[in-house]
Amino acid sequence: MSVENEHRLRFRDAMASLSAAVNIVTTDGLAGRCGITATAVCSVTDTPPTLMVCINRKSSMNPVFQENGHLCVNILNHEQELMARHFAGMTDVSMEERFNWDIWRTGVLGQPLLQGALANLEGRIEQVQEVGTHYVYLVEIKQIMVREEGHGLIYFKRGFHPVMDKTVATTV
């Protein structure tokens, strides 16, 4: 194995130890409707509210996101692991079927909002940059919905795990 390949694998192993929130990033528009499970999502600034979303350049969904120009980051709760698996391509459920379930609403920007998510952040893609194997999307958030109840879902050590809100857990 080459030194470069070994370094890449060690980096991936190290990143498996970086707990990350699980999100389904969706889009709808003239180019069609699609979604993908993503953990490479983080806030950039609150003025204006902006998120960074990273998607592998090999994903067939990139042209759809880029042409539509809008997306929604749906932050999953601990009960939505199966949805994360569907949108990560870990099941045989087609994209069309995923969006036919009665769990979606349409946001003010026309984007698919997953009901029951901890938050839905709908925005406009302001920039797309190529960095190595990924596209980095900078998204200005225009509409925010936050759900008060629910626990988190993270991806850690290559598996999904619930994260309990201790303020809720101690009062139960």
Side-chain angles (χ1 to χ4, degrees):
M1 179 183 311
S2 71
V3 172
E4 183 178 302
N5 207 25
E6 184 178 333
H7 191 64
R8 183 181 62 81
L9 293 174
R10 288 183 52 78
F11 179 78
R12 291 176 64 111
D13 286 343
M15 291 301 96
S17 296
L18 180 63
S19 302
V22 181
N23 310 278
I24 294 176
V25 182
T26 57
T27 188
D28 197 359
L30 294 176
R33 180 173 53 187
C34 69
I36 190 168
T37 298
T39 56
V41 174
C42 72
S43 65
V44 175
T45 180
D46 65 358
T47 310
T50 303
L51 291 177
M52 177 183 72
V53 177
C54 300
I55 300 175
N56 193 298
R57 287 177 34 204
K58 291 180 182 175
S59 173
S60 61
M61 292 178 232
N62 282 303
V64 181
F65 280 106
Q66 291 173 21
E67 188 175 329
N68 286 345
H70 291 87
L71 59 75
C72 181
V73 173
N74 299 279
I75 302 173
L76 301 190
N77 76 51
H78 72 291
E79 296 176 329
Q80 294 175 315
E81 178 181 338
L82 184 56
M83 288 300 293
R85 290 182 179 282
H86 291 319
F87 280 87
M90 297 174 161
T91 68
D92 292 330
V93 177
S94 71
M95 189 66 68
E96 183 179 338
E97 190 177 345
R98 296 172 203 168
F99 282 108
N100 282 337
W101 295 323
D102 190 28
I103 54 173
W104 298 98
R105 290 193 347 263
T106 301
V108 296
L109 298 178
Q111 302 310 294
L113 278 62
L114 179 61
Q115 295 182 59
L118 295 177
N120 311 97
L121 298 107
E122 196 178 10
R124 181 177 59 236
I125 298 170
E126 296 295 333
Q127 288 182 42
V128 182
Q129 298 177 358
E130 289 185 32
V131 179
T133 58
H134 282 66
Y135 284 116
V136 177
Y137 293 84
L138 294 177
V139 183
E140 186 174 336
I141 302 303
K142 301 295 187 181
Q143 179 71 21
I144 302 168
M145 300 181 72
V146 178
R147 192 168 161 236
E148 294 302 319
E149 64 280 345
H151 302 289
L153 181 65
I154 63 167
Y155 197 71
F156 174 70
K157 295 285 188 181
R158 297 182 174 89
F160 295 101
H161 304 275
V163 175
M164 299 305 179
D165 179 349
K166 77 175 188 178
T167 59
V168 174
T170 58
T171 60
V172 176

